[in-house]
């Protein structure tokens, strides 16, 4: 692939010189003396580097620079300035020019700068390509689920992605919170920017602070070099604060300040840094309850909870289970073997009726385990892990979950609820049929559905 350079200068002599020097080095040069036409050319052609004169009639080099930075941020811009007009060059650098050369320049000077710009351009384009791949991998279209609660969640994701509002994603462990955070980022206008995540649980308070805010060289023993924090790295993109409920009290204060002032300092630093980020936080805790217990700051809670997306547990959207199973079969199978393999309808029924305390992640693990451990094309009930096929075990674990003082009533209710769910699944969620299976009236079934808070579509 040849390297394309667009040169813009109102002086035709200069265009000719540049065309010759660069052409001899093997670059493909398009030389235009009309800046307006040059901007049009950018829209239609692949350009790797732009070289532009500063002072031109009509559109100035500065405007060209701004246009490229805004519309083609991956294309480096080299500015040419007349001898002595350093101020303009400095200004251009501040506005994001890659470099400047003052006229008259030597061939070597020009070629060195172009070569560096070309290298940057290549890596910027590679990053852009990788990000597009990420969009493809993590966009909302990758979220599996057709149940009413999931459709609601997806609607929220699409709506909220367009805004810059802070989002708090809540939901039990394994419900897909991280997946949703990524879907928001990769369907937002910032999708070409970075998605940076921080797990607030995995690090101790001190380490976490320098992870988030960065540190200056020498700010503590071991800080041998300046390090940018995740807040800075997320500039122009999304910062995902996972397990936000685990944030220590002192970091809660610091985070609140950043959210209020949209600025911070690195640890041990005094320079205030401003960043443009969209914040998404996730928690499997009931944050409001943490606030009531005074474990989590109320002011921070309200700052984070601008938009709340609550992910329903899998047991409340059972109709998504067969879809997810198919999705994971496809994802986990090698060499298209999934075409030949499937779960027997009976086995799928068991999967659909199970409680899934570990939610989607647990389902994914179970599908994987079945694929690995069973050699059969059709995976049957006998291939399922015991916690799923063994209803005895389910009821036993339900008993184990009860407090020391066993309550017969509670246990029976659990069993009754489980039976009702099995019947619903078996009857394809047709309530009349489920009632028939259970040998009760439809109205009694409906009463019990309400009582046990069972979703029946
Ligand atoms: N709707 C979905 N479609 C496809 N895959 C999903 C869906 N929801 C969850 N998953 C998958 O389930 C697994 C768990 O999801 P994720 O890590 O996002 O959950 P989480 O809520 O962040 O869990 P935790 O609270 O334990 O961190 C991942 O492998 C994810 O790809
Ligand atoms: Mg997670």
């Amino acid at each position: 692939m040849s390297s394309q350079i667009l040169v813009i200068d109102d002086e035709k002599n200069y265009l000719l010189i540049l065309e010759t020097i660069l052409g001899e080095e093997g670059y493909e040069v398009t030389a235009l003396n009309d800046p307006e036409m040059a901007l049009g050319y950018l829209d239609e052609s692949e350009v790797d580097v732009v070289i532009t004169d500063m002072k031109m009639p009509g559109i100035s080099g500065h405007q060209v620079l701004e246009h490229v930075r805004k519309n083609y941020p991956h294309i480096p811009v080299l500015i040419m300035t007349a001898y002595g007009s350093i101020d303009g060059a400095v200004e251009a650098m501040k506005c994001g020019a890659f470099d400047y050369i003052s006229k008259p320049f030597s061939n070597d000077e020009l070629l060195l700068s172009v070569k560096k710009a070309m290298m940057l351009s290549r890596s910027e384009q590679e990053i852009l390509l990788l990000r597009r791949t990420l969009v493809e991998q993590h966009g909302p279209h990758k979220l599996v689920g057709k149940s009413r609660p999931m459709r609601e969640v997806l609607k929220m994701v699409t709506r909220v992605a367009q805004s810059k509002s802070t989002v708090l994603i809540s939901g039990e462990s394994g419900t897909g919170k991280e997946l949703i955070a990524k879907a928001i980022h990769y369907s937002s206008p910032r999708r070409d920017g970075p998605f940076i995540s921080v797990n607030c649980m995995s690090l101790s308070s001190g380490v976490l602070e320098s992870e988030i805010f960065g540190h200056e060289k020498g700010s503590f023993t071991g800080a041998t070099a300046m390090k940018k924090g995740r807040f800075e790295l997320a500039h122009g993109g999304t910062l995902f604060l996972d397990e936000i409920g685990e944030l220590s009290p002192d970091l809660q204060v610091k985070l609140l300040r950043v959210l209020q002032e949209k600025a911070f300092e690195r640890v041990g630093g005094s320079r205030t840094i401003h960043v443009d980020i969209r914040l998404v936080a996730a928690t499997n805790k009931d944050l409001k309850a943490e606030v009531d217990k005074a474990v989590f700051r109320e002011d921070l809670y309200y700052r984070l909870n601008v938009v709340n997306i609550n992910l329903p547990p899998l047991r409340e959207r059972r109709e998504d289970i067969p879809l997810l199973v198919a999705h994971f079969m496809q994802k986990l199978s090698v060499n298209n073997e999934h075409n030949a393999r499937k779960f027997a309808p009976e086995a799928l029924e068991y999967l659909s009726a199970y409680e899934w305390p570990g939610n989607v992640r647990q389902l994914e693990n179970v599908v994987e385990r079945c694929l690995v451990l069973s050699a059969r094309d059709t995976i049957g009930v006998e291939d399922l892990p015991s916690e799923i096929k063994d209803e005895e075990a389910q009821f036993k674990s339900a008993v184990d979950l009860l407090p020391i003082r066993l309550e017969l009533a509670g246990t029976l209710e659990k069993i009754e609820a489980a039976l009702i769910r099995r019947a619903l699944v078996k009857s394809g969620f047709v309530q009349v049929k489920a009632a028939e299976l259970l040998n009760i009236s439809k109205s009694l079934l409906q009463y019990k559905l309400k009582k046990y808070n069972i979703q029946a579509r």
Side-chain angles (χ1 to χ4, degrees):
M1 191 172 83
S2 65
S3 307
Q4 308 282 337
I5 302 178
L6 172 63
V7 187
I8 315 167
D9 197 327
D10 56 319
E11 280 178 65
K12 292 207 169 139
N13 279 348
Y14 258 104
L15 284 183
L16 212 60
I17 296 173
L18 282 161
E19 215 173 349
T20 314
I21 305 175
L22 295 169
E24 276 173 7
E25 284 298 306
Y27 295 116
E28 297 254 339
V29 183
T30 306
L32 296 171
N33 69 344
D34 177 352
E36 195 156 340
M37 201 193 261
L39 296 189
Y41 178 82
L42 268 174
D43 290 336
E44 289 153 19
S45 326
E46 294 280 323
V47 172
D48 299 302
V49 171
V50 171
I51 306 178
T52 180
D53 188 26
M54 203 55 167
K55 281 213 186 77
M56 296 179 286
I59 299 178
S60 72
H62 214 103
Q63 286 168 302
V64 171
L65 171 63
E66 276 177 356
H67 180 85
V68 176
R69 293 307 301 158
K70 181 157 176 265
N71 300 290
Y72 309 97
H74 59 283
I75 305 180
V77 179
L78 265 169
I79 299 277
M80 293 184 289
T81 56
Y83 177 75
S85 58
I86 284 296
D87 283 354
V90 171
E91 188 60 25
M93 291 300 282
K94 276 195 198 148
C95 292
F98 171 72
D99 198 2
Y100 71 90
I101 37 178
S102 42
K103 294 175 178 176
F105 42 79
S106 70
N107 291 8
D108 286 349
E109 212 180 332
L110 171 73
L111 290 175
L112 182 67
S113 197
V114 167
K115 193 174 161 193
K116 283 197 267 180
M118 205 51 89
M119 272 159 57
L120 176 71
S121 178
R122 287 268 174 271
S123 56
E124 289 282 319
Q125 285 174 34
E126 204 166 309
I127 290 172
L128 199 68
L129 207 69
L130 286 171
R131 291 221 163 108
R132 293 275 147 85
T133 319
L134 287 173
V135 172
E136 186 45 42
Q137 280 171 355
H138 298 292
H141 58 283
K142 286 285 168 179
L143 291 166
V144 177
K146 291 222 174 343
S147 62
R148 189 195 295 266
M150 267 319 267
R151 286 204 308 266
E152 286 300 317
V153 166
L154 288 174
K155 237 191 263 166
M156 290 279 280
V157 167
T158 322
R159 220 176 295 150
V160 81
Q162 296 312 315
S163 76
K164 209 188 146 183
S165 311
T166 300
V167 183
L168 180 66
I169 306 171
S170 51
E172 288 178 16
S173 178
T175 42
K177 295 185 291 295
E178 191 168 342
L179 214 60
I180 293 290
K182 285 183 178 157
I184 292 174
H185 171 73
Y186 289 108
S187 55
S188 78
R190 342 186 120 233
R191 61 176 160 266
D192 284 338
F195 175 88
I196 302 286
S197 83
V198 186
N199 190 318
C200 302
M201 173 130 85
S202 61
L203 301 161
S204 71
S205 182
V207 179
L208 188 59
E209 182 174 1
S210 99
E211 268 304 313
I212 296 181
F213 302 116
H215 60 247
E216 297 293 347
K217 184 176 173 178
S219 56
F220 52 86
T221 355
T224 48
M226 183 278 279
K227 189 178 164 216
K228 286 189 179 182
R230 307 276 167 106
F231 258 95
E232 264 174 272
L233 296 174
H235 182 62
T238 304
L239 182 70
F240 176 48
L241 294 173
D242 205 358
E243 317 266 13
I244 190 86
E246 307 298 328
L247 208 61
S248 68
D250 57 323
L251 278 181
Q252 289 181 28
V253 178
K254 288 184 176 134
L255 180 61
L256 181 69
R257 208 210 110 201
V258 181
L259 297 188
Q260 280 167 343
E261 298 172 16
K262 299 194 168 42
F264 61 92
E265 290 92 36
R266 294 189 192 121
V267 175
S270 52
R271 192 165 65 89
T272 303
I273 298 169
H274 296 267
V275 284
D276 166 32
I277 54 169
R278 132 73 74 84
L279 202 70
V280 178
T283 181
N284 55 17
K285 287 190 169 167
D286 179 354
L287 261 202
K288 187 73 184 69
E290 299 289 297
V291 169
D292 294 341
K293 281 189 282 175
V295 182
F296 202 85
R297 291 185 68 99
E298 186 170 22
D299 40 13
L300 180 57
Y301 171 74
Y302 285 114
R303 283 267 167 193
L304 294 172
N305 196 26
V306 180
V307 177
N308 175 239
I309 297 183
N310 184 253
L311 279 177
L314 191 54
R315 62 185 166 278
E316 284 174 19
R317 45 180 164 118
R318 290 176 192 274
E319 57 184 301
D320 289 339
I321 292 173
L323 298 176
L324 283 163
V325 170
H327 168 73
F328 291 134
M329 295 273 283
Q330 176 129 20
K331 181 173 152 191
L332 298 164
S333 310
V334 281
N335 304 331
N336 279 333
E337 65 169 8
H338 65 273
N339 288 336
R341 305 191 71 184
K342 58 179 193 300
F343 277 82
E346 172 88 325
L348 265 182
E349 271 175 20
Y350 271 85
L351 293 179
S352 299
Y354 184 61
E355 279 296 276
W356 298 111
N359 293 297
V360 185
R361 180 180 295 112
Q362 189 190 3
L363 176 62
E364 183 171 9
N365 289 343
V366 165
V367 171
E368 182 170 6
R369 212 175 340 156
C370 291
L371 284 179
V372 172
L373 294 183
S374 158
R376 281 186 279 255
D377 274 351
T378 303
I379 296 161
V381 175
E382 57 284 6
D383 298 314
L384 297 177
S386 57
E387 70 263 26
I388 290 163
K389 80 182 146 188
D390 197 350
E391 282 187 49
E392 288 280 347
Q394 268 190 61
F395 296 141
K396 188 164 157 291
S397 65
V399 173
D400 286 344
L401 284 175
L402 291 171
I404 302 295
R405 189 168 61 87
L406 286 177
E407 278 178 55
L408 181 61
T411 311
L412 289 176
E413 282 176 351
K414 279 201 168 157
I415 293 172
E416 189 172 69
L419 279 176
I420 291 171
R421 273 193 296 268
R422 289 272 296 148
L424 278 170
V425 171
K426 257 194 165 338
S427 61
F429 287 86
V430 180
Q431 290 186 16
V432 187
K433 280 197 204 157
E436 236 168 64
L437 270 177
L438 293 163
N439 203 13
I440 57 175
S441 71
K442 190 176 169 216
S443 57
L444 181 59
L445 175 66
Q446 280 168 341
Y447 163 79
K448 293 203 185 270
L449 290 178
K450 208 173 252 160
K451 176 175 167 195
Y452 297 127
N453 197 14
I454 298 174
Q455 312 282 321
R457 291 195 200 179

